[in-house]
Amino acid sequence: MQLLADALRPWRARHPEVRVLEDVVLFAPEHALILRSASAALVAAGQRVGSRVGSRAGSVTRALLRDSACPVAMVPG
């Protein structure tokens, strides 16, 4: 958990208005994010640079686009 907290520290300093939940789970990434989407306002998912939404998304992002319970923001890498 400390490694995650350390990685998030500069982003929290830059964007204190954004609430971030730190959570480490033992699920496959797509399963964990889909479960968490039920109580989230938004899930941000990486997208390959230069690709259209969904066209070259990875397997986790495709699963989120298909099964997320909340909106998904595609964020260019």
Side-chain angles (χ1 to χ4, degrees):
M1 263 318 240
Q2 187 59 49
L3 186 61
L4 177 57
D6 292 345
L8 292 173
R9 189 170 295 112
W11 295 102
R12 284 193 162 132
R14 250 183 260 163
H15 303 283
E17 72 283 3
V18 176
R19 187 173 150 248
V20 176
L21 170 68
E22 292 175 21
D23 192 15
V24 177
V25 296
L26 299 176
F27 293 118
E30 59 273 12
H31 184 68
L33 289 168
I34 290 166
L35 286 174
R36 280 292 181 199
S37 74
S39 61
L42 176 73
V43 174
Q47 178 184 9
R48 293 183 180 105
V49 176
S51 63
R52 291 175 288 122
V53 172
S55 66
R56 294 188 57 212
S59 61
V60 172
T61 301
R62 283 195 308 273
L64 279 169
L65 290 170
R66 184 183 61 241
D67 298 325
S68 179
C70 70
V72 176
M74 299 294 295
V75 182

